[in-house]
């Protein structure tokens, strides 16, 4: 048994031609966040503390679709959501509809630890944040020029999209419907197991570019985008509606529990059975196994284990 950690920065239709100015900052951030998580695990921090710490750092990075980098709704506002779960106890907390909270993942943990509930959203979640004294800012803090431009592009194309989607050439007329678009992905997440076998997962997102106000995705839905028990910890990324329908994160655990599959086998079965282009996930087991799988073009991801293995990637190993 040894510690292990895996993180993701979103999966989707990430083009191999992704410009260096969009690719390199994310790769550097993944490396930075992975090192933070590794150092925390080496210093014997609990897995739950580690995943919160790493996701907070991802939320603070403007090039990921969570926290500071959250994409905008069809009204030009932010509505952030997050979820955290402890595997051994199955305690969990989730939040949605946040507009001023700097680190949604920490508010999700406070919901878990300071309330009798699991999930708070919108005005109630914002009021709870003020009550708990967490860091908040004016919502304009999240309205970046880059995300404003992304929203403009999405509105011009009449679609929802991820922040990786390339700009649409204005002379090309594209007719598409939001529900049919294959660019509805963008999330950050972290899973970890510590030296004592404690499992934890945390996921955070700004949702979809040009999403309807009030839309809730898979991230805060326990068993869909986020789940942990005594067998595994899973954080998913992809098309939120598809992940909810397939209960992706819980299905990995269920296949391990009821069919006796290994972590790799269970994760592969879930990802392969999902509609192509909709799902990516990272997962760890109590014995320190790690898997990072996706059926999309790519997934920003990184992992490390106590035995010295580490990996940072975007596309499949044949393309990275």
């Amino acid at each position: 048994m040894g510690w292990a950690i895996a993180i993701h920065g979103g999966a989707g239709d990430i083009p191999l031609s992704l410009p260096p100015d969009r690719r390199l900052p994310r790769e550097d951030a993944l490396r930075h966040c992975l090192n933070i998580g590794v150092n925390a695990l080496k210093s014997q921090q609990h897995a739950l503390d580690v995943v919160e710490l790493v996701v907070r750092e991802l939320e603070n990075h403007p090039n990921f679709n969570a926290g500071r980098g959250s994409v905008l709704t069809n009204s030009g506002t932010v509505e952030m959501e997050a979820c955290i779960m402890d595997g051994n106890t199955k305690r969990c907390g989730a939040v949605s509809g946040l507009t001023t909270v700097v680190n949604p993942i920490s508010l999700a943990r406070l919901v878990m630890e300071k309330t009798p509930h699991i999930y708070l959203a919108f005005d109630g979640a914002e009021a709870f944040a003020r009550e708990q004294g967490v860091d908040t800012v004016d919502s304009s803090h999240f309205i970046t020029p880059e995300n404003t431009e992304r929203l403009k592009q999405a509105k011009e194309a009449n679609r929802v999209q991820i922040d990786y989607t390339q700009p649409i050439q204005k002379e090309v007329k594209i007719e598409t419907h939001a529900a049919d678009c294959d660019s509805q992905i963008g999330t950050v997440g972290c899973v970890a197991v510590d030296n004592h076998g404690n499992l934890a997962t945390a996921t955070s997102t700004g949702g979809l570019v040009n999403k309807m106000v009030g839309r809730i995705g898979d991230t805060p839905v326990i068993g869909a985008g986020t789940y942990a028990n005594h067998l595994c910890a899973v954080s998913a990324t992809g098309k939120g509606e598809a992940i909810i329908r397939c209960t992706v994160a819980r299905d990995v655990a269920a296949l391990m529990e009821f069919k006796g599959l290994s972590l790799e086998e269970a994760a592969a079965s879930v990802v392969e059975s999902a509609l192509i282009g909709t799902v990516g996930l990272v997962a760890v087991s109590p014995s320190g196994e790690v898997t990072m799988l996706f059926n999309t073009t790519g997934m920003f991801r990184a992992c490390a284990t106590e035995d010295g293995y580490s990996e940072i990637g975007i596309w499949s190993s044949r393309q990275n």
Side-chain angles (χ1 to χ4, degrees):
M1 182 183 297
W3 59 258
I5 184 172
I7 63 179
H8 69 75
D13 186 18
I14 306 171
L16 293 172
S17 59
L18 188 71
D21 64 332
R22 302 190 76 188
R23 174 175 56 84
L24 295 176
R26 290 181 170 92
E27 289 179 331
D28 290 343
L30 288 173
R31 188 174 293 106
H32 171 68
C33 292
L34 184 65
N35 287 336
I36 288 176
V38 167
N39 290 334
L41 288 165
K42 285 181 176 179
S43 66
Q44 304 299 311
Q45 290 193 43
H46 192 284
L48 191 67
D49 296 325
V50 174
V51 297
E52 180 188 5
L53 178 68
V54 171
V55 170
R56 280 179 62 96
E57 194 68 21
L58 288 165
E59 289 174 336
N60 292 337
H61 198 285
N63 284 299
F64 289 111
N65 178 15
R68 178 72 174 97
S70 291
V71 296
L72 307 182
T73 70
N74 58 7
S75 292
T77 59
V78 293
E79 290 184 354
M80 300 171 285
E81 48 195 22
C83 183
I84 192 167
M85 187 167 187
D86 176 71
N88 286 351
T89 65
K90 293 187 182 177
R91 296 177 68 206
C92 48
V95 289
S96 284
L98 300 181
T99 60
T100 68
V101 176
V102 174
N103 291 115
I105 195 62
S106 292
L107 187 64
R109 184 166 182 180
L110 286 170
V111 172
M112 178 182 79
E113 295 181 338
K114 302 293 186 180
T115 81
H117 309 303
I118 290 175
Y119 197 162
L120 292 179
F122 298 94
D123 290 348
E126 285 284 337
F128 178 66
R130 293 190 294 272
E131 176 186 305
Q132 293 297 310
V134 302
D135 289 339
T136 59
V137 292
D138 187 87
S139 60
S140 61
H141 168 79
F142 303 100
I143 314 299
T144 66
E146 185 175 16
N147 280 336
T148 300
E149 179 60 27
R150 288 171 182 152
L151 178 61
K152 178 183 176 182
Q153 293 169 11
K155 284 181 175 293
E156 289 175 351
N158 188 30
R159 69 180 183 181
V160 291
Q161 64 183 48
I162 55 166
D163 61 337
Y164 311 131
T165 304
Q166 297 301 292
I168 295 171
Q169 299 300 315
K170 292 187 177 181
E171 66 270 18
V172 178
K173 182 178 180 180
I174 295 180
E175 294 182 357
T176 182
H177 297 287
D180 299 325
C181 181
D182 65 352
S183 300
Q184 304 179 18
I185 305 119
T187 301
V188 303
C190 178
V191 293
V193 57
D194 60 32
N195 276 319
H196 301 288
N198 299 305
L199 291 157
T201 178
T203 316
S204 182
T205 188
L208 313 178
V209 183
N210 200 30
K211 67 182 180 180
M212 293 176 64
V213 171
R215 179 262 186 186
I216 293 172
D218 66 287
T219 291
V221 179
I222 304 299
T226 310
Y227 189 76
N229 65 3
H230 64 290
L231 295 172
C232 63
V234 183
S235 176
T237 174
K239 292 187 178 180
E241 283 71 15
I243 292 172
I244 292 171
R245 292 187 188 104
C246 296
T247 58
V248 165
R250 171 56 186 161
D251 273 13
V252 174
L255 287 171
M256 295 179 71
E257 182 173 0
F258 300 117
K259 294 193 72 173
L261 300 189
S262 68
L263 177 71
E264 181 75 19
E265 292 170 336
S269 177
V270 170
V271 172
E272 289 168 7
S273 65
L275 187 66
I276 292 295
T278 62
V279 173
L281 62 81
V282 295
V284 294
S285 75
S287 61
E289 299 170 285
V290 176
T291 187
M292 304 186 293
L293 299 176
F294 52 96
N295 67 12
T296 55
T297 305
M299 179 173 72
F300 286 97
R301 64 195 188 276
C303 73
T305 60
E306 189 172 22
D307 62 11
Y309 178 78
S310 65
E311 174 186 343
I312 296 176
I314 303 174
W315 301 282
S316 73
S317 58
R318 296 185 300 277
Q319 298 167 318
N320 279 320

